[in-house]
Amino acid sequence: MKMALHWQILLGMLAGVIFGITYVYFNFDPQFVIDWIKPIGTIFINLLKLIAIPLIIASLIKGVSDLQDFSKFSLIGGRTILIYVATTLIAVSIGLVIVNLIDPGERIAPETLAMLSEEFASDATAKIQAAENQQKRGPLSFIVDMVPDNIFGAASNNRNMLQVIFFVILFAISLLLIDPKKAAPVKDFFDGLNDVVLKMVDMIMLMAPYAVFALLASLVVETKSPDLLVALLWYGLTVVLGLFTMILFYLAVIKFYVKKSPLWFLKNISPAQLLAFSTSSSAATLPVTMERVEEHLGVEKEVSSFVLPVGATINMDGTSLYQAVAAIFITQALSFQLDFSDQLTIILTATLASIGSAAVPGAGMVMLVIVLEALNVPQETLTVGLALIFAIDRPLDMCRTVINVTGDATVAMVVGKSVDKLREPNPKNWDDHLDNVR
Ligand code: ASP
């Protein structure tokens, strides 16, 4: 019997970690892993990113034009954004409650503090610089940024996903409004294109177990000072506990609102979660999230083609929760007093900062600077604060990306249920696909 995909990926991840740890233990040359193993992971991530834009274009055009009428689209759109903001607020609140209960900032020894801030000061300064560049823009710039002035320019950079979505929605709505006879061949073309791109996802996924091996092995080998992770144990545990609570929240929603089995949901979305963990990027994971949600969880394309790409860019529940915990941890550890109104500021800024975070590794930490600045943390304290959490940021990034992706999938199910666009899943069967490919 063939092993299910999520087990294959999990096995690849485990083997990667064990390989990495053994390699480091015997003090072999890390350059070998970087030269010969890491590229397999990089190629895989590039392949996933490669098909993200074509997939969004094809599936969104098909999705919106299948809706037949514009009012349905605005209903789905409005609901999606509202639910996204709501889940983010819930995530930040969960983060705040847990961090205030555990108080990880009080549990860190002054020597550890000094050591960490020395070790990572320069990395922290780089993050602050990146945040400053981000901030030098006007209040409406995020809307302006959404409207591209050249579609090829927009489509040439995966970071401009919202610009592409904007163009495609405009295109698809116009398609709904023109003479159906003329619209039909255009629709058919994108319909076919959509199947082609999904087939490409299937082919790329054949590589997934090996690629996650490469990604995790090189990550372990490249990690500097792994012993420092222990120093941040309480903080790390607080974030992870918060993220875990968020998963429970999603599962409750799946059970009580969507009325599906949480285990079934987890089983079917797990390949996307495992990839999110291995790549730390919801954007790179997007093609797989879309494939899982449409074919395995049964959300109609009319919903998933909009909800998921938009979610990958703006809905980051894991990131917002982490930002809340990190902000409190840093201020506690550096004895910077916060009052109740500061906690409200965190709710607001972490929500906005997570919306503004790019769906790539490490983005959440850059935007954390903005949360800290909103709390009026002085510049020197800020550098020390970021240096403090740097050592453990990558593993936490991996975990929060899992939540970001799970959140998007959950909201796709919720919106699908609310507009009656859930059907019996029809895995155009994963295994059939693979058999065709082989
Ligand atoms: N890596 C996260 C993502 O892609 C963003 C972050 O929190 O850094 O979803």
Side-chain angles (χ1 to χ4, degrees):
M1 203 186 75
K2 214 161 45 196
M3 202 192 277
L5 181 71
H6 56 276
W7 291 120
Q8 293 183 28
I9 299 181
L10 206 60
L11 215 66
M13 291 166 71
L14 255 172
V17 173
I18 295 173
F19 174 88
I21 293 176
T22 321
Y23 201 87
V24 172
Y25 180 78
F26 286 108
N27 253 331
F28 292 137
D29 179 17
Q31 201 56 38
F32 177 82
V33 175
I34 295 168
D35 287 345
W36 295 97
I37 296 185
K38 193 177 176 186
I40 303 170
T42 313
I43 291 173
F44 177 69
I45 295 188
N46 285 354
L47 283 171
L48 286 174
K49 289 186 181 162
L50 174 70
I51 51 172
I53 299 268
L55 180 60
I56 293 174
I57 294 178
S59 95
L60 203 51
I61 290 180
K62 176 161 169 43
V64 176
S65 53
D66 276 353
L67 278 177
Q68 312 288 356
D69 106 57
F70 179 62
S71 62
K72 253 195 225 148
F73 174 72
S74 43
L75 178 76
I76 292 178
R79 235 171 241 187
T80 305
I81 304 292
L82 218 76
I83 302 177
Y84 275 155
V85 174
T87 55
T88 306
L89 286 173
I90 292 172
V92 183
S93 312
I94 290 179
L96 277 182
V97 169
I98 292 188
V99 72
N100 281 306
L101 283 178
I102 299 185
D103 282 339
E106 313 287 347
R107 297 169 195 261
I108 188 152
E111 315 81 73
T112 320
L113 231 160
M115 178 181 72
L116 287 168
S117 49
E118 199 171 307
E119 179 102 14
F120 294 103
S122 63
D123 296 320
T125 317
K127 293 275 176 194
I128 294 174
Q129 192 64 45
E132 266 166 16
N133 295 340
Q134 184 104 12
Q135 255 181 332
K136 281 197 198 106
R137 294 147 64 231
L140 287 185
S141 60
F142 75 100
I143 302 182
V144 177
D145 284 351
M146 243 185 318
V147 186
D149 60 359
N150 182 314
I151 184 56
F152 296 103
S156 69
N157 184 345
N158 283 17
R159 290 196 176 223
N160 296 337
M161 211 119 85
L162 279 183
Q163 295 193 346
V164 176
I165 294 172
F166 179 86
F167 173 82
V168 175
I169 289 177
L170 204 59
F171 183 98
I173 292 174
S174 310
L175 199 61
L176 277 179
L177 299 176
I178 63 170
D179 176 3
K181 253 205 261 127
K182 287 196 175 153
V186 182
K187 266 184 70 176
D188 286 348
F189 170 76
F190 284 106
D191 209 359
L193 181 65
N194 184 61
D195 279 8
V196 171
V197 184
L198 281 178
K199 180 65 85 185
M200 290 168 84
V201 178
D202 289 336
M203 290 208 285
I204 295 168
M205 285 303 279
L206 291 176
M207 209 184 146
Y210 310 99
V212 293
F213 171 87
L215 286 169
L216 290 186
S218 49
L219 197 72
V220 173
V221 171
E222 282 183 298
T223 302
K224 45 178 186 176
S225 11
D227 42 322
L228 287 184
L229 299 187
V230 182
L232 293 165
L233 198 66
W234 279 107
Y235 159 66
L237 282 179
T238 312
V239 175
V240 170
L241 188 68
L243 296 176
F244 184 71
T245 314
M246 202 58 203
I247 288 261
L248 294 182
F249 167 74
Y250 295 141
L251 294 183
V253 171
I254 295 288
K255 181 160 173 53
F256 296 111
Y257 179 72
V258 185
K259 304 237 171 351
K260 297 271 186 193
S261 141
L263 279 182
W264 165 86
F265 172 77
L266 276 182
K267 181 166 162 259
N268 283 294
I269 196 65
S270 57
Q273 292 175 317
L274 295 173
L275 278 196
F277 185 82
S278 309
T279 61
S280 278
S281 164
S282 6
T285 312
L286 179 64
V288 180
T289 319
M290 290 179 82
E291 199 265 357
R292 299 311 292 185
V293 169
E294 278 164 29
E295 293 186 2
H296 296 257
L297 295 175
V299 178
E300 300 271 8
K301 191 177 283 303
E302 288 97 312
V303 171
S304 62
S305 67
F306 173 77
V307 177
L308 294 173
V310 170
T313 17
I314 68 165
N315 182 49
M316 301 205 178
D317 299 342
T319 301
S320 63
L321 189 151
Y322 144 84
Q323 284 166 340
V325 174
I328 298 275
F329 170 70
I330 288 176
T331 47
Q332 270 179 353
L334 302 177
S335 314
F336 187 85
Q337 294 305 325
L338 292 184
D339 55 25
F340 185 69
S341 73
D342 288 326
Q343 308 251 359
L344 293 182
T345 308
I346 293 180
I347 295 189
L348 194 70
T349 48
T351 301
L352 293 176
S354 71
I355 293 175
S357 302
V360 296
M365 192 172 177
V366 171
M367 298 303 277
L368 172 65
V369 175
I370 293 172
V371 180
L372 290 171
E373 281 180 348
L375 296 172
N376 294 322
V377 174
Q379 194 70 20
E380 318 77 63
T381 321
L382 205 99
T383 319
V384 180
L386 288 187
L388 191 61
I389 59 170
F390 207 90
I392 201 176
D393 201 62
R394 181 60 193 237
L396 293 183
D397 191 2
M398 297 159 84
C399 300
R400 64 191 189 239
T401 309
V402 173
I403 307 302
N404 291 346
V405 167
T406 314
D408 297 344
T410 308
V411 175
M413 301 259 343
V414 169
V415 175
K417 171 87 181 173
S418 79
V419 292
D420 206 13
K421 290 279 178 203
L422 285 187
R423 55 174 158 71
E424 271 319 299
N426 164 26
K428 258 193 223 148
N429 203 315
W430 183 262
D431 292 328
D432 295 349
H433 269 315
L434 296 192
D435 288 340
N436 292 341
V437 174
R438 280 194 182 110

